Amino acid sequence: MIKLLRIEIYKIFRRPRTYISFGIVLAIAFIIQLAMYSGGKDFMSFGMQGVTEQFDVQGNIINGYLVTYIILQSLLIHIPLLVALVAGDMLAGEANLGTLRLLLTKPVSRARLVLVKFVASVVYTLLLITWLAVTALLISLLIFGEGDMVNLKSDAFIVLLKDDIMWRYMAAFVFAALAMTTIAALAAMLSAFADNSIGPIMTTMGIVVVLTILTNLELPMFNVIKPYLFTTHMIGWKGFFDDPVPLKAIANSAVVLALYTVGFLGVTIAYFNKKDITS
Amino acid sequence: MEPIIQARNLTKTFKGFKAVDELSFSITPGDIYGFLGQNGAGKSTTMRMLLGLIFPDSGEILINGSRLSNSSRHLLSGIGASIERPDMYGYLSGWDNLRIFAALSGKPIPSSRLYEVLEIVGLRGREKDKVKAYSQGMKQRLGIAIALVHSPQLLILDEPTNGLDPQGIAEMRALVLSLSRDHNKTILISSHLLYEIEQVATRMLVIHRGRKVVEGLVRELLNPDETLVDIQVAQGEQLKDKLAASQWQTHVTAITHNTLTLKMNTAQVPELNRWLVQQGALVSAINSKHSLEAYFLSLTNDKAAPDRNI
Amino acid sequence: MTKKWIWMLCLLLVHHAASAADASQVFYALRDKMLKIKDYTADVKVKIDVAHIRIPEVKGKLYFKSPDKMRLERNGGISVLPKKNINMSVRNMMPAGNVTALDAGYETIDGKKARIIKVIPEDEGNIVLSKLWIDEVLMVVLKTETTTRDEGMVVMKLKYGAYTVQGLPDQLTVLMDVKDYKLPAGVTMDYNDPTEIKKPKDGKPKKGSIQLTYLKYTINTGLTDEVFNKKK
């Protein structure tokens, strides 16, 4: 099992395209850092109008913690695509390449192969999230310094003290990793259905985009289904920046994401076990 | 001897199209088993079923007497395969590809064995190159190295000469024969060309539209007495009576105005030629073709199969 | 009989005049006492209790300079204080210039007898009317209720201790109307408990309070304006 996993990870990291994701994360983080460096004040004063009308907010608002939050906010919409690039490729890509049929003539059970490939995608996902943590958090802190963090919610203005933030980021990254694991499982499932990798990658993105829109639409008819959409729970990492932290809701979201992950994987294995390899 | 593989009544339907229909055969140790059929006859589907890639709708496959299923995939460790195109990880070296598939074979394989199979297929020295830089023939040979690396009892080679130039085809043929003779491999090899099978196989199975047409020893099926000889000759009709009166009388199968067709042993062709010359016939060409091939060609209408010129 | 009525009226007038003068005197005396504080630096704790602002209780250094400069420094941290007009100074609840002061009875606040004086400024300013609860024994303001043009009704409650003599409170609480705050959810993409159904907001102003606890004052050290203009 470990040997298989090492092979899969080796295959992922020997491909040039794998590193594109890391480059994209770096580029987006850098662009946002640049934008916040030049226009962060205007951006924030716009968002804080509701508060500054009556209150005087003083201090270093544009600091590393805030910039990191803004990077995460925008990047965690794009990272599903980067996760899908690898996870959506894991079966379909090999089918397309033609190596899947050779792989499956080996005395390895298909369920095990799916699991190993999934775990390899998760390893990639974790590395991507770690990379995100380094580029977003570390570099932002180096450029902007630390400080108390302002968090603008639609109905609240939250200030977190600087000594009370790092653990929130660590927890947020762990949660984001779980959310992206769910995306990896979704992409893996779609990958099992397909014989080329564009389909599952695009479909994964399509599902994430449509469901995210549903999650954010303030329409009563969607409120009924919202708790059942995994996209509603994917942004659970933000809960760690609330005050007080809604631990119960976050735990609930984590369970929902875990269930989706197991469900997607179950379908993948059940389907793939019976699939005729004609590629 | 117990067969390595037994296929019993294999049937597979794709979207209403019967790809393989009640197909049964068995391969015994030492065979070079030729699998002949036109493109789309069901060869690949059958081979994929033998390898657990495609699941039959009905029928079963026994490998060394045990039934192949999702839960008995360990049986596949005795088989090495190269299916259709030799697709590899192009972004990795030949060595890495070989190493990866060796690691999946279910037993530890030392590096020395990897060098050994590279030597056998003639890729030694090129193993560090990226596979995407390989020629088609090199890829085919790497495919065979991968099939061989875990020392399987049986090799399944699906159209191994596909896409190769004439020299590559000859080398591949020599390799297959050497694997059988020098490395004691039992081989299942498929082709849509009879002459390819004929040159290497000991037994053969001809399938058409998923059904068995004929199966048996190649030397029996391709009995030289069963050769059809076509003679291109001016005014063929004028020879009709002379032939009827000659020792060739029983061999004649058809006469048109410029073609005579006789069924005979190929060894008799020079004698026939001399007789024709003695009769003053103007022979422009003599083509011989085995009756099985003729039959096969009639099934396939495959223009790619060349006649053998004598 | 008539004489008696006149006498009584006179008495009433005299009494009224006397007490009115008294109220103004009290107000002016109190204001003068406060004006003696030119500046101070104080270690403070700030607690904000406003529905939409969630910030933990923070410690900091509060700089004040007469008449209305105030700055809370939190060693690079973020501080939130009500805007300049209200500020966290009872002084700003006392109109400048000449006023009309009227007695409005007595009340007991935290066991202390407080004289209520209504103050109406003669000049136009942000303050329309200010009602002061004054402890006449210690000569300090215990509570103010001020109607302002810009901020509506602002209530301030004060508690005294070590700095009673200077008229500086140990604790000051501002109660004010806070306008509702809303950003489009599509922009912030909030995470909320998905199982919880949110009540729609009514958009009306809410009551909020800001509590400032003074730990230690340093008074009249001659703070320069630069302290208040620092970028951070």
Side-chain angles (χ1 to χ4, degrees), chain A residues 4 10-11 94 97 101 103-104 106 108 110 273 276-277 279, chain B residues 12 48 52-55 70 73 83 85 87 89 91 96 104:
Chain A
L4 281 181
Y10 180 78
K11 286 197 289 198
E94 296 235 22
L97 202 59
R101 61 174 185 273
L103 214 52
L104 292 179
K106 295 293 167 187
V108 177
R110 291 190 180 190
N273 256 337
D276 287 330
I277 307 302
S279 60
Chain B
K12 180 68 186 179
R48 281 168 189 257
L53 290 172
I54 288 179
F55 301 98
N70 250 344
R73 291 180 60 88
I83 299 291
R85 300 173 311 278
D87 292 321
Y89 303 106
Y91 56 93
D96 282 335
L104 294 170

PDB file of all heavy atoms in Angstrom, chain A residues 4 10-11 94 97 101 103-104 106 108 110 273 276-277 279, chain B residues 12 48 52-55 70 73 83 85 87 89 91 96 104:
ATOM      1  N   LEU A   4       2.619   1.510  -3.321  1.00  0.00           N
ATOM      2  CA  LEU A   4       1.695   2.023  -4.337  1.00  0.00           C
ATOM      3  C   LEU A   4       1.537   3.523  -4.205  1.00  0.00           C
ATOM      4  O   LEU A   4       1.545   4.258  -5.189  1.00  0.00           O
ATOM      5  CB  LEU A   4       0.315   1.374  -4.163  1.00  0.00           C
ATOM      6  CG  LEU A   4       0.124  -0.030  -4.703  1.00  0.00           C
ATOM      7  CD1 LEU A   4      -1.300  -0.482  -4.454  1.00  0.00           C
ATOM      8  CD2 LEU A   4       0.422  -0.046  -6.183  1.00  0.00           C
ATOM      9  N   TYR A  10       4.878   9.899  -6.706  1.00  0.00           N
ATOM     10  CA  TYR A  10       5.995  10.108  -7.639  1.00  0.00           C
ATOM     11  C   TYR A  10       5.464  10.552  -8.998  1.00  0.00           C
ATOM     12  O   TYR A  10       5.963  11.507  -9.596  1.00  0.00           O
ATOM     13  CB  TYR A  10       6.773   8.800  -7.766  1.00  0.00           C
ATOM     14  CG  TYR A  10       7.964   8.860  -8.696  1.00  0.00           C
ATOM     15  CD1 TYR A  10       9.162   9.446  -8.283  1.00  0.00           C
ATOM     16  CD2 TYR A  10       7.900   8.322  -9.978  1.00  0.00           C
ATOM     17  CE1 TYR A  10      10.246   9.492  -9.128  1.00  0.00           C
ATOM     18  CE2 TYR A  10       8.981   8.366 -10.827  1.00  0.00           C
ATOM     19  CZ  TYR A  10      10.161   8.957 -10.403  1.00  0.00           C
ATOM     20  OH  TYR A  10      11.228   9.001 -11.241  1.00  0.00           O
ATOM     21  N   LYS A  11       4.415   9.866  -9.464  1.00  0.00           N
ATOM     22  CA  LYS A  11       3.845  10.209 -10.767  1.00  0.00           C
ATOM     23  C   LYS A  11       3.302  11.640 -10.773  1.00  0.00           C
ATOM     24  O   LYS A  11       3.486  12.383 -11.737  1.00  0.00           O
ATOM     25  CB  LYS A  11       2.729   9.221 -11.145  1.00  0.00           C
ATOM     26  CG  LYS A  11       3.279   7.866 -11.561  1.00  0.00           C
ATOM     27  CD  LYS A  11       2.259   7.032 -12.312  1.00  0.00           C
ATOM     28  CE  LYS A  11       1.157   6.519 -11.434  1.00  0.00           C
ATOM     29  NZ  LYS A  11       0.425   5.400 -12.019  1.00  0.00           N
ATOM     30  N   GLU A  94      -5.210   8.748 -16.733  1.00  0.00           N
ATOM     31  CA  GLU A  94      -4.518   7.514 -17.089  1.00  0.00           C
ATOM     32  C   GLU A  94      -5.288   6.765 -18.168  1.00  0.00           C
ATOM     33  O   GLU A  94      -4.694   6.063 -18.992  1.00  0.00           O
ATOM     34  CB  GLU A  94      -4.340   6.633 -15.851  1.00  0.00           C
ATOM     35  CG  GLU A  94      -3.440   7.282 -14.815  1.00  0.00           C
ATOM     36  CD  GLU A  94      -2.262   6.404 -14.407  1.00  0.00           C
ATOM     37  OE1 GLU A  94      -1.888   5.509 -15.180  1.00  0.00           O
ATOM     38  OE2 GLU A  94      -1.729   6.638 -13.308  1.00  0.00           O
ATOM     39  N   LEU A  97      -4.335   8.590 -21.250  1.00  0.00           N
ATOM     40  CA  LEU A  97      -2.949   8.298 -21.588  1.00  0.00           C
ATOM     41  C   LEU A  97      -2.810   6.854 -22.092  1.00  0.00           C
ATOM     42  O   LEU A  97      -1.892   6.536 -22.840  1.00  0.00           O
ATOM     43  CB  LEU A  97      -2.101   8.485 -20.326  1.00  0.00           C
ATOM     44  CG  LEU A  97      -0.614   8.746 -20.453  1.00  0.00           C
ATOM     45  CD1 LEU A  97      -0.376  10.004 -21.269  1.00  0.00           C
ATOM     46  CD2 LEU A  97       0.002   8.910 -19.067  1.00  0.00           C
ATOM     47  N   ARG A 101      -5.103   0.814 -18.608  1.00  0.00           N
ATOM     48  CA  ARG A 101      -5.332  -0.603 -18.911  1.00  0.00           C
ATOM     49  C   ARG A 101      -4.137  -1.451 -18.500  1.00  0.00           C
ATOM     50  O   ARG A 101      -4.277  -2.577 -18.046  1.00  0.00           O
ATOM     51  CB  ARG A 101      -5.689  -0.798 -20.382  1.00  0.00           C
ATOM     52  CG  ARG A 101      -4.637  -0.372 -21.352  1.00  0.00           C
ATOM     53  CD  ARG A 101      -5.040  -0.749 -22.785  1.00  0.00           C
ATOM     54  NE  ARG A 101      -3.966  -0.429 -23.695  1.00  0.00           N
ATOM     55  CZ  ARG A 101      -3.794   0.750 -24.268  1.00  0.00           C
ATOM     56  NH1 ARG A 101      -4.663   1.717 -24.034  1.00  0.00           N
ATOM     57  NH2 ARG A 101      -2.783   0.981 -25.070  1.00  0.00           N
ATOM     58  N   LEU A 103      -2.085  -0.601 -16.038  1.00  0.00           N
ATOM     59  CA  LEU A 103      -2.125  -0.552 -14.574  1.00  0.00           C
ATOM     60  C   LEU A 103      -3.092  -1.605 -14.030  1.00  0.00           C
ATOM     61  O   LEU A 103      -2.822  -2.280 -13.048  1.00  0.00           O
ATOM     62  CB  LEU A 103      -2.617   0.849 -14.179  1.00  0.00           C
ATOM     63  CG  LEU A 103      -2.090   1.494 -12.929  1.00  0.00           C
ATOM     64  CD1 LEU A 103      -0.583   1.490 -12.918  1.00  0.00           C
ATOM     65  CD2 LEU A 103      -2.601   2.923 -12.837  1.00  0.00           C
ATOM     66  N   LEU A 104      -4.220  -1.746 -14.734  1.00  0.00           N
ATOM     67  CA  LEU A 104      -5.268  -2.631 -14.214  1.00  0.00           C
ATOM     68  C   LEU A 104      -5.080  -4.085 -14.622  1.00  0.00           C
ATOM     69  O   LEU A 104      -5.884  -4.933 -14.270  1.00  0.00           O
ATOM     70  CB  LEU A 104      -6.648  -2.125 -14.655  1.00  0.00           C
ATOM     71  CG  LEU A 104      -7.052  -0.801 -14.003  1.00  0.00           C
ATOM     72  CD1 LEU A 104      -8.408  -0.351 -14.502  1.00  0.00           C
ATOM     73  CD2 LEU A 104      -7.077  -0.915 -12.487  1.00  0.00           C
ATOM     74  N   LYS A 106      -2.446  -5.418 -13.598  1.00  0.00           N
ATOM     75  CA  LYS A 106      -1.575  -5.819 -12.504  1.00  0.00           C
ATOM     76  C   LYS A 106      -2.423  -6.381 -11.362  1.00  0.00           C
ATOM     77  O   LYS A 106      -3.577  -5.986 -11.186  1.00  0.00           O
ATOM     78  CB  LYS A 106      -0.758  -4.604 -12.028  1.00  0.00           C
ATOM     79  CG  LYS A 106       0.201  -4.078 -13.086  1.00  0.00           C
ATOM     80  CD  LYS A 106       1.280  -5.094 -13.339  1.00  0.00           C
ATOM     81  CE  LYS A 106       2.070  -4.778 -14.592  1.00  0.00           C
ATOM     82  NZ  LYS A 106       3.013  -5.852 -14.925  1.00  0.00           N
ATOM     83  N   VAL A 108      -3.479  -5.840  -8.612  1.00  0.00           N
ATOM     84  CA  VAL A 108      -3.794  -4.885  -7.551  1.00  0.00           C
ATOM     85  C   VAL A 108      -5.296  -4.665  -7.622  1.00  0.00           C
ATOM     86  O   VAL A 108      -5.825  -4.484  -8.720  1.00  0.00           O
ATOM     87  CB  VAL A 108      -3.079  -3.533  -7.794  1.00  0.00           C
ATOM     88  CG1 VAL A 108      -3.470  -2.532  -6.742  1.00  0.00           C
ATOM     89  CG2 VAL A 108      -1.575  -3.738  -7.820  1.00  0.00           C
ATOM     90  N   ARG A 110      -8.837  -3.012  -7.671  1.00  0.00           N
ATOM     91  CA  ARG A 110      -9.226  -1.690  -8.171  1.00  0.00           C
ATOM     92  C   ARG A 110      -9.576  -0.752  -7.036  1.00  0.00           C
ATOM     93  O   ARG A 110      -9.260   0.438  -7.086  1.00  0.00           O
ATOM     94  CB  ARG A 110     -10.421  -1.833  -9.111  1.00  0.00           C
ATOM     95  CG  ARG A 110     -10.056  -2.517 -10.411  1.00  0.00           C
ATOM     96  CD  ARG A 110     -11.212  -2.414 -11.376  1.00  0.00           C
ATOM     97  NE  ARG A 110     -10.885  -3.063 -12.637  1.00  0.00           N
ATOM     98  CZ  ARG A 110     -11.629  -2.952 -13.723  1.00  0.00           C
ATOM     99  NH1 ARG A 110     -12.741  -2.235 -13.690  1.00  0.00           N
ATOM    100  NH2 ARG A 110     -11.278  -3.560 -14.828  1.00  0.00           N
ATOM    101  N   ASN A 273     -15.126  -0.487  -9.722  1.00  0.00           N
ATOM    102  CA  ASN A 273     -14.991  -1.945  -9.600  1.00  0.00           C
ATOM    103  C   ASN A 273     -15.693  -2.686 -10.710  1.00  0.00           C
ATOM    104  O   ASN A 273     -15.333  -3.806 -11.035  1.00  0.00           O
ATOM    105  CB  ASN A 273     -15.572  -2.397  -8.252  1.00  0.00           C
ATOM    106  CG  ASN A 273     -14.481  -2.725  -7.258  1.00  0.00           C
ATOM    107  OD1 ASN A 273     -13.351  -3.024  -7.651  1.00  0.00           O
ATOM    108  ND2 ASN A 273     -14.793  -2.671  -5.986  1.00  0.00           N
ATOM    109  N   ASP A 276     -15.891  -1.434 -17.242  1.00  0.00           N
ATOM    110  CA  ASP A 276     -15.115  -2.070 -18.304  1.00  0.00           C
ATOM    111  C   ASP A 276     -14.085  -1.067 -18.814  1.00  0.00           C
ATOM    112  O   ASP A 276     -14.432   0.056 -19.169  1.00  0.00           O
ATOM    113  CB  ASP A 276     -16.031  -2.485 -19.475  1.00  0.00           C
ATOM    114  CG  ASP A 276     -16.879  -3.693 -19.122  1.00  0.00           C
ATOM    115  OD1 ASP A 276     -16.418  -4.514 -18.304  1.00  0.00           O
ATOM    116  OD2 ASP A 276     -17.992  -3.824 -19.653  1.00  0.00           O
ATOM    117  N   ILE A 277     -12.830  -1.495 -18.853  1.00  0.00           N
ATOM    118  CA  ILE A 277     -11.780  -0.592 -19.321  1.00  0.00           C
ATOM    119  C   ILE A 277     -11.637  -0.777 -20.828  1.00  0.00           C
ATOM    120  O   ILE A 277     -11.087  -1.774 -21.289  1.00  0.00           O
ATOM    121  CB  ILE A 277     -10.446  -0.879 -18.616  1.00  0.00           C
ATOM    122  CG1 ILE A 277     -10.628  -0.859 -17.108  1.00  0.00           C
ATOM    123  CG2 ILE A 277      -9.376   0.117 -19.059  1.00  0.00           C
ATOM    124  CD1 ILE A 277     -11.165   0.429 -16.540  1.00  0.00           C
ATOM    125  N   SER A 279     -10.574   1.900 -22.735  1.00  0.00           N
ATOM    126  CA  SER A 279      -9.686   2.958 -23.243  1.00  0.00           C
ATOM    127  C   SER A 279      -8.367   2.365 -23.709  1.00  0.00           C
ATOM    128  O   SER A 279      -7.942   1.337 -23.228  1.00  0.00           O
ATOM    129  CB  SER A 279      -9.423   3.978 -22.157  1.00  0.00           C
ATOM    130  OG  SER A 279      -8.801   3.344 -21.064  1.00  0.00           O
TER     131      SER A 279
ATOM    132  N   LYS B  12     -19.885 -10.995 -24.405  1.00  0.00           N
ATOM    133  CA  LYS B  12     -19.875  -9.601 -23.965  1.00  0.00           C
ATOM    134  C   LYS B  12     -20.634  -8.756 -24.975  1.00  0.00           C
ATOM    135  O   LYS B  12     -20.380  -8.825 -26.183  1.00  0.00           O
ATOM    136  CB  LYS B  12     -18.429  -9.097 -23.846  1.00  0.00           C
ATOM    137  CG  LYS B  12     -18.321  -7.659 -23.383  1.00  0.00           C
ATOM    138  CD  LYS B  12     -18.765  -7.497 -21.942  1.00  0.00           C
ATOM    139  CE  LYS B  12     -18.808  -6.046 -21.510  1.00  0.00           C
ATOM    140  NZ  LYS B  12     -19.259  -5.927 -20.100  1.00  0.00           N
ATOM    141  N   ARG B  48      -8.941  -8.420 -23.178  1.00  0.00           N
ATOM    142  CA  ARG B  48      -9.205  -7.582 -22.008  1.00  0.00           C
ATOM    143  C   ARG B  48      -9.982  -8.362 -20.952  1.00  0.00           C
ATOM    144  O   ARG B  48      -9.800  -8.152 -19.758  1.00  0.00           O
ATOM    145  CB  ARG B  48      -9.967  -6.332 -22.413  1.00  0.00           C
ATOM    146  CG  ARG B  48      -9.066  -5.263 -23.042  1.00  0.00           C
ATOM    147  CD  ARG B  48      -9.877  -4.180 -23.695  1.00  0.00           C
ATOM    148  NE  ARG B  48      -9.048  -3.276 -24.468  1.00  0.00           N
ATOM    149  CZ  ARG B  48      -8.682  -2.049 -24.058  1.00  0.00           C
ATOM    150  NH1 ARG B  48      -9.097  -1.596 -22.900  1.00  0.00           N
ATOM    151  NH2 ARG B  48      -7.919  -1.297 -24.810  1.00  0.00           N
ATOM    152  N   GLY B  52      -9.009  -9.183 -16.940  1.00  0.00           N
ATOM    153  CA  GLY B  52      -9.826  -8.539 -15.913  1.00  0.00           C
ATOM    154  C   GLY B  52     -10.080  -7.070 -16.167  1.00  0.00           C
ATOM    155  O   GLY B  52     -10.443  -6.333 -15.264  1.00  0.00           O
ATOM    156  N   LEU B  53      -9.880  -6.620 -17.409  1.00  0.00           N
ATOM    157  CA  LEU B  53     -10.155  -5.219 -17.727  1.00  0.00           C
ATOM    158  C   LEU B  53     -11.623  -5.027 -18.077  1.00  0.00           C
ATOM    159  O   LEU B  53     -12.216  -3.994 -17.808  1.00  0.00           O
ATOM    160  CB  LEU B  53      -9.289  -4.756 -18.908  1.00  0.00           C
ATOM    161  CG  LEU B  53      -7.796  -4.603 -18.652  1.00  0.00           C
ATOM    162  CD1 LEU B  53      -7.065  -4.329 -19.951  1.00  0.00           C
ATOM    163  CD2 LEU B  53      -7.544  -3.465 -17.667  1.00  0.00           C
ATOM    164  N   ILE B  54     -12.167  -6.060 -18.726  1.00  0.00           N
ATOM    165  CA  ILE B  54     -13.583  -6.019 -19.112  1.00  0.00           C
ATOM    166  C   ILE B  54     -14.245  -7.233 -18.471  1.00  0.00           C
ATOM    167  O   ILE B  54     -13.659  -8.317 -18.433  1.00  0.00           O
ATOM    168  CB  ILE B  54     -13.718  -6.038 -20.648  1.00  0.00           C
ATOM    169  CG1 ILE B  54     -13.267  -4.698 -21.222  1.00  0.00           C
ATOM    170  CG2 ILE B  54     -15.146  -6.369 -21.083  1.00  0.00           C
ATOM    171  CD1 ILE B  54     -13.342  -4.598 -22.732  1.00  0.00           C
ATOM    172  N   PHE B  55     -15.445  -7.004 -17.966  1.00  0.00           N
ATOM    173  CA  PHE B  55     -16.137  -8.104 -17.290  1.00  0.00           C
ATOM    174  C   PHE B  55     -17.125  -8.761 -18.247  1.00  0.00           C
ATOM    175  O   PHE B  55     -17.973  -8.078 -18.824  1.00  0.00           O
ATOM    176  CB  PHE B  55     -16.862  -7.582 -16.052  1.00  0.00           C
ATOM    177  CG  PHE B  55     -15.930  -6.929 -15.077  1.00  0.00           C
ATOM    178  CD1 PHE B  55     -15.781  -5.553 -15.036  1.00  0.00           C
ATOM    179  CD2 PHE B  55     -15.144  -7.704 -14.222  1.00  0.00           C
ATOM    180  CE1 PHE B  55     -14.895  -4.951 -14.157  1.00  0.00           C
ATOM    181  CE2 PHE B  55     -14.258  -7.107 -13.339  1.00  0.00           C
ATOM    182  CZ  PHE B  55     -14.134  -5.732 -13.307  1.00  0.00           C
ATOM    183  N   ASN B  70     -12.978 -10.098  -9.529  1.00  0.00           N
ATOM    184  CA  ASN B  70     -12.400  -8.932  -8.853  1.00  0.00           C
ATOM    185  C   ASN B  70     -11.685  -9.319  -7.563  1.00  0.00           C
ATOM    186  O   ASN B  70     -10.751  -8.648  -7.142  1.00  0.00           O
ATOM    187  CB  ASN B  70     -13.502  -7.924  -8.527  1.00  0.00           C
ATOM    188  CG  ASN B  70     -13.369  -6.686  -9.403  1.00  0.00           C
ATOM    189  OD1 ASN B  70     -12.327  -6.475 -10.011  1.00  0.00           O
ATOM    190  ND2 ASN B  70     -14.408  -5.887  -9.466  1.00  0.00           N
ATOM    191  N   ARG B  73      -7.804 -11.241  -8.200  1.00  0.00           N
ATOM    192  CA  ARG B  73      -6.917 -10.579  -9.150  1.00  0.00           C
ATOM    193  C   ARG B  73      -5.458 -11.003  -8.995  1.00  0.00           C
ATOM    194  O   ARG B  73      -4.642 -10.767  -9.878  1.00  0.00           O
ATOM    195  CB  ARG B  73      -7.039  -9.061  -9.028  1.00  0.00           C
ATOM    196  CG  ARG B  73      -8.382  -8.534  -9.503  1.00  0.00           C
ATOM    197  CD  ARG B  73      -8.453  -7.027  -9.361  1.00  0.00           C
ATOM    198  NE  ARG B  73      -7.423  -6.362 -10.151  1.00  0.00           N
ATOM    199  CZ  ARG B  73      -7.561  -5.998 -11.417  1.00  0.00           C
ATOM    200  NH1 ARG B  73      -8.686  -6.255 -12.046  1.00  0.00           N
ATOM    201  NH2 ARG B  73      -6.585  -5.398 -12.059  1.00  0.00           N
ATOM    202  N   ILE B  83      -1.313  -4.410 -24.264  1.00  0.00           N
ATOM    203  CA  ILE B  83      -2.616  -4.343 -24.920  1.00  0.00           C
ATOM    204  C   ILE B  83      -2.663  -3.164 -25.882  1.00  0.00           C
ATOM    205  O   ILE B  83      -2.466  -2.025 -25.480  1.00  0.00           O
ATOM    206  CB  ILE B  83      -3.740  -4.175 -23.869  1.00  0.00           C
ATOM    207  CG1 ILE B  83      -3.763  -5.374 -22.921  1.00  0.00           C
ATOM    208  CG2 ILE B  83      -5.088  -3.998 -24.527  1.00  0.00           C
ATOM    209  CD1 ILE B  83      -4.205  -6.645 -23.572  1.00  0.00           C
ATOM    210  N   ARG B  85      -2.068  -0.223 -28.202  1.00  0.00           N
ATOM    211  CA  ARG B  85      -0.935   0.702 -28.269  1.00  0.00           C
ATOM    212  C   ARG B  85      -0.082   0.576 -27.003  1.00  0.00           C
ATOM    213  O   ARG B  85      -0.612   0.393 -25.921  1.00  0.00           O
ATOM    214  CB  ARG B  85      -1.440   2.146 -28.379  1.00  0.00           C
ATOM    215  CG  ARG B  85      -2.298   2.440 -29.572  1.00  0.00           C
ATOM    216  CD  ARG B  85      -2.882   3.848 -29.466  1.00  0.00           C
ATOM    217  NE  ARG B  85      -3.492   4.108 -28.165  1.00  0.00           N
ATOM    218  CZ  ARG B  85      -4.717   3.727 -27.828  1.00  0.00           C
ATOM    219  NH1 ARG B  85      -5.484   3.078 -28.687  1.00  0.00           N
ATOM    220  NH2 ARG B  85      -5.199   3.994 -26.637  1.00  0.00           N
ATOM    221  N   ASP B  87       1.058   2.320 -24.529  1.00  0.00           N
ATOM    222  CA  ASP B  87       1.011   3.634 -23.888  1.00  0.00           C
ATOM    223  C   ASP B  87       1.743   3.613 -22.554  1.00  0.00           C
ATOM    224  O   ASP B  87       1.530   2.741 -21.729  1.00  0.00           O
ATOM    225  CB  ASP B  87      -0.445   4.059 -23.677  1.00  0.00           C
ATOM    226  CG  ASP B  87      -1.129   4.337 -25.006  1.00  0.00           C
ATOM    227  OD1 ASP B  87      -0.472   4.917 -25.882  1.00  0.00           O
ATOM    228  OD2 ASP B  87      -2.302   3.964 -25.157  1.00  0.00           O
ATOM    229  N   TYR B  89       3.942   6.349 -19.457  1.00  0.00           N
ATOM    230  CA  TYR B  89       4.040   7.710 -18.948  1.00  0.00           C
ATOM    231  C   TYR B  89       5.154   8.400 -19.720  1.00  0.00           C
ATOM    232  O   TYR B  89       6.335   8.197 -19.434  1.00  0.00           O
ATOM    233  CB  TYR B  89       4.335   7.712 -17.454  1.00  0.00           C
ATOM    234  CG  TYR B  89       3.296   6.947 -16.672  1.00  0.00           C
ATOM    235  CD1 TYR B  89       3.563   5.696 -16.139  1.00  0.00           C
ATOM    236  CD2 TYR B  89       2.019   7.488 -16.489  1.00  0.00           C
ATOM    237  CE1 TYR B  89       2.606   4.991 -15.436  1.00  0.00           C
ATOM    238  CE2 TYR B  89       1.055   6.793 -15.792  1.00  0.00           C
ATOM    239  CZ  TYR B  89       1.347   5.543 -15.268  1.00  0.00           C
ATOM    240  OH  TYR B  89       0.398   4.860 -14.581  1.00  0.00           O
ATOM    241  N   TYR B  91       6.228  11.322 -19.778  1.00  0.00           N
ATOM    242  CA  TYR B  91       7.065  12.299 -19.074  1.00  0.00           C
ATOM    243  C   TYR B  91       8.081  11.624 -18.157  1.00  0.00           C
ATOM    244  O   TYR B  91       8.866  12.299 -17.501  1.00  0.00           O
ATOM    245  CB  TYR B  91       6.184  13.277 -18.284  1.00  0.00           C
ATOM    246  CG  TYR B  91       5.241  12.630 -17.296  1.00  0.00           C
ATOM    247  CD1 TYR B  91       5.607  12.454 -15.968  1.00  0.00           C
ATOM    248  CD2 TYR B  91       3.987  12.182 -17.695  1.00  0.00           C
ATOM    249  CE1 TYR B  91       4.745  11.850 -15.069  1.00  0.00           C
ATOM    250  CE2 TYR B  91       3.128  11.576 -16.800  1.00  0.00           C
ATOM    251  CZ  TYR B  91       3.507  11.415 -15.498  1.00  0.00           C
ATOM    252  OH  TYR B  91       2.660  10.819 -14.602  1.00  0.00           O
ATOM    253  N   ASP B  96      11.947   4.423 -15.413  1.00  0.00           N
ATOM    254  CA  ASP B  96      10.908   4.723 -14.417  1.00  0.00           C
ATOM    255  C   ASP B  96       9.613   3.986 -14.719  1.00  0.00           C
ATOM    256  O   ASP B  96       8.951   3.465 -13.818  1.00  0.00           O
ATOM    257  CB  ASP B  96      10.648   6.233 -14.357  1.00  0.00           C
ATOM    258  CG  ASP B  96      11.728   6.963 -13.569  1.00  0.00           C
ATOM    259  OD1 ASP B  96      12.355   6.319 -12.713  1.00  0.00           O
ATOM    260  OD2 ASP B  96      11.942   8.160 -13.824  1.00  0.00           O
ATOM    261  N   LEU B 104       4.231  -2.873  -9.236  1.00  0.00           N
ATOM    262  CA  LEU B 104       2.817  -3.206  -9.097  1.00  0.00           C
ATOM    263  C   LEU B 104       2.567  -4.699  -9.299  1.00  0.00           C
ATOM    264  O   LEU B 104       1.444  -5.153  -9.203  1.00  0.00           O
ATOM    265  CB  LEU B 104       1.994  -2.431 -10.131  1.00  0.00           C
ATOM    266  CG  LEU B 104       1.953  -0.918  -9.957  1.00  0.00           C
ATOM    267  CD1 LEU B 104       1.318  -0.263 -11.162  1.00  0.00           C
ATOM    268  CD2 LEU B 104       1.175  -0.552  -8.704  1.00  0.00           C
TER     269      LEU B 104
END
